[in-house]
Amino acid sequence: MAAPLDDMFSFCVDPGKVAAGVEVRFIDNIKGKGLFAKRSIKKGDVIFREQPLVSAQFLWNALYKYKACEYCLRALETAEENARRLSGIPGLSLPHPELCRVRPELHQACPKCQVMYCSSECRQVAADQYHQVLCLGPSQEDPDHPINKLNDAWRSMHYPPETSSIMLLARMVAVVKQAKDKAHWQKLFSHFCSRAANEEEEIAHKLLGEQFRGQLALLHGLFNAALYDDQLSRWFVPEGFRSLFALVGTNGQGIGTSSLSQWVHACDALELPAQQREQLDSFIDQLYKDIEKETGDFLNCEGSGLFLLQSSCNHSCIPNAEASFPDNNFLLQLSALSDISPGEEICISYLDCCQRDRSRHSRHKILRENYLFVCSCPKCVAQMDELDVTSEEEEEEEGEAEGETEGDEMEDEMTDV
């Protein structure tokens, strides 16, 4: 049972071509839908490229001066500016500055609130889609503005490393409020996974910590004060707000952009004499050591988005596809990690590389806490079978040991008699 083409593929680059190569099918009531190949896909092939319905930079990330386009999350610092800030070396100069793709001369600010965009196109699209509702105008720095109070409350509850943002919910509301066809956008959002009430609370618990009930009530009140709309009243009642939380918690895809990373990839592609290559690689290695010492692991402009087609990809601990953001913006690229046959399910990993190498128990704990499901991919099934065999052998050994003990006890009793 495939979803309508105009919905599931509408945010993809070249949706007709994508629809010819993959399809969304309903699997069962536990896994829900999944993405399947309709043709042979070779390792390294780009399966699709997709824009999010909505996206937002993480609030702490923005507060710590990771400058990103308010619409597409493109990094706004040049690679050199980025390297200087992250390394704490103000006079640092990067070789091959021409490889940096950031164009500050194209950047534009909203004339009312001064938030920044990477281009006039992004500023216009944001204004047309959601920014008229969310623009704070001269109140951008006013701590008493309802949206700023909402953001401050979120930051006080959700510390780095960040996994979501209350502004993703706000953009959903703003998009529908500004849309001419409000029903169409509500239908698009309805395609994302919904959860039962107890599961929604578990997600809220994971996002907000031990005091999630009180925190969720506070956020709900601030959310209503900032954004309430009669036409979306079902999103503003407590149950509806929990559902929005669940939707974002289970479907939000992390987005990372970096002008420095893009510059490094461009340097890697340079054809250089051996000595120059060695010097450049040495410079980059030392730069990353300086950054690690000064900044740690927080290198990118980070946020999250809701991607319609990508959200239909289920998890596997041995994925055959992976998502990336090669254009230094929110455009997601799904690429094949191995050959994929027609009819085969296309799966990604919800875990990072280090997490995938952990034990089955550890992987399941992470997936259960964050996504509320137990993985049944081939790797986990095989490890479960190994555990079952081990358990049976242990039970047999325990049984034999118990039998021996009982026999010994019986012999002792016979001797006593």
Side-chain angles (χ1 to χ4, degrees):
M1 182 169 65
L5 170 63
D6 61 336
D7 282 353
M8 296 305 296
F9 298 91
S10 56
F11 283 78
C12 291
V13 177
D14 199 349
K17 181 180 179 181
V18 176
V22 298
E23 64 180 344
V24 178
R25 297 184 203 163
F26 179 78
I27 300 173
D28 55 42
N29 289 328
I30 297 175
K31 292 188 73 172
K33 62 193 175 188
L35 187 68
F36 292 82
K38 294 169 65 177
R39 59 172 177 81
S40 295
I41 300 172
K42 296 297 183 183
K43 179 180 178 179
D45 283 357
V46 175
I47 302 170
F48 63 79
R49 291 159 65 85
E50 182 181 25
Q51 286 191 13
L53 275 71
V54 290
S55 63
Q57 187 178 7
F58 292 148
L59 293 176
W60 279 107
N61 190 258
L63 190 67
Y64 283 126
K65 302 187 185 306
Y66 288 78
K67 299 176 182 179
C69 175
E70 200 262 353
Y71 174 65
C72 77
L73 298 184
R74 184 184 299 276
L76 297 180
E77 289 179 305
T78 65
E80 190 166 87
E81 290 170 339
N82 192 219
R84 288 174 176 175
R85 179 173 60 82
L86 294 177
S87 67
I89 304 174
L92 180 70
S93 295
L94 295 185
H96 304 287
E98 72 281 358
L99 297 179
C100 177
R101 299 181 188 176
V102 176
R103 296 291 175 262
E105 67 274 10
L106 300 179
H107 297 174
Q108 288 199 2
C110 169
K112 296 180 180 179
C113 68
Q114 302 305 308
V115 298
M116 293 299 297
Y117 298 92
C118 67
S119 65
S120 59
E121 291 82 6
C122 278
R123 184 178 68 81
Q124 190 59 54
V125 173
D128 292 343
Q129 285 191 0
Y130 62 83
H131 191 64
Q132 294 175 48
V133 170
L134 298 178
C135 182
L136 304 189
S139 300
Q140 181 72 13
E141 304 298 329
D142 180 4
D144 292 324
H145 190 283
I147 289 180
N148 284 334
K149 290 173 73 173
L150 178 65
N151 287 340
D152 288 343
W154 176 262
R155 276 193 291 261
S156 71
M157 301 173 188
H158 194 73
Y159 290 95
E162 298 170 275
T163 57
S164 191
S165 171
I166 193 71
M167 286 309 294
L168 205 55
L169 279 68
R171 295 223 175 149
M172 291 172 64
V173 171
V175 163
V176 176
K177 288 176 78 168
Q178 279 192 215
K180 294 179 180 178
D181 189 349
K182 301 181 188 303
H184 174 66
W185 276 92
Q186 291 183 71
K187 180 183 176 186
L188 288 175
F189 288 126
S190 74
H191 283 301
F192 291 98
C193 176
S194 60
R195 300 286 186 177
N198 65 318
E199 292 180 322
E200 289 165 4
E201 290 190 356
E202 286 191 47
I203 296 169
H205 188 169
K206 178 65 180 175
L207 287 177
L208 298 176
E210 292 298 327
Q211 304 301 319
F212 78 98
R213 290 184 187 276
Q215 292 174 334
L216 200 60
L218 173 61
L219 286 175
H220 177 230
L222 293 171
F223 191 74
N224 281 17
L227 296 162
Y228 182 80
D229 185 274
D230 283 333
Q231 293 182 297
L232 291 171
S233 58
R234 64 187 180 86
W235 283 1
F236 288 92
V237 297
E239 296 79 8
F241 186 64
R242 283 202 302 270
S243 292
L244 287 184
F245 242 82
L247 186 154
V248 168
T250 54
N251 294 281
Q253 164 67 46
I255 300 170
T257 63
S258 168
S259 55
L260 178 60
S261 176
Q262 199 173 39
W263 173 82
V264 169
H265 286 308
C267 286
D268 289 343
L270 286 175
E271 294 184 5
L272 298 172
Q275 185 177 1
Q276 291 183 32
R277 167 55 61 191
E278 185 178 349
Q279 290 174 344
L280 181 57
D281 289 347
S282 177
F283 175 88
I284 292 172
D285 287 344
Q286 184 59 50
L287 174 59
Y288 275 117
K289 288 178 183 177
D290 293 337
I291 289 173
E292 183 178 9
K293 183 178 178 181
E294 178 72 17
T295 311
D297 295 330
F298 298 98
L299 305 183
N300 300 334
C301 297
E302 295 180 348
S304 62
L306 295 176
F307 295 84
L308 198 54
L309 188 59
Q310 180 269 347
S311 72
S312 66
C313 292
N314 287 312
H315 165 82
S316 173
C317 295
I318 42 173
N320 55 12
E322 69 174 352
S324 62
F325 298 89
D327 293 342
N328 191 33
N329 63 7
F330 64 17
L331 189 64
L332 179 147
Q333 178 173 296
L334 192 75
S335 303
L337 292 174
S338 59
D339 291 348
I340 303 172
S341 302
E344 185 178 349
E345 185 175 6
I346 298 170
C347 294
I348 60 177
S349 177
Y350 300 171
L351 307 173
D352 62 34
C353 294
C354 294
Q355 291 171 335
R356 289 203 297 274
D357 289 335
R358 294 183 183 181
S359 68
R360 175 182 170 276
H361 173 78
S362 180
R363 297 197 308 273
H364 278 215
K365 185 175 184 292
I366 297 168
L367 292 169
R368 183 73 183 92
E369 288 180 349
N370 289 276
Y371 302 100
L372 304 180
F373 73 89
V374 175
C375 183
S376 59
C377 74
K379 180 177 181 178
C380 288
V381 170
Q383 290 178 340
M384 175 60 81
D385 290 342
E386 291 173 8
L387 288 172
D388 289 343
V389 170
T390 303
S391 299
E392 287 176 6
E393 291 174 350
E394 288 174 349
E395 287 175 5
E396 289 176 2
E397 289 173 359
E398 288 174 2
E400 291 172 1
E402 288 175 1
E404 290 173 2
T405 303
E406 289 174 359
D408 292 341
E409 289 175 351
M410 189 174 294
E411 287 180 7
D412 291 340
E413 289 174 3
M414 290 291 288
T415 303
D416 291 340
V417 170

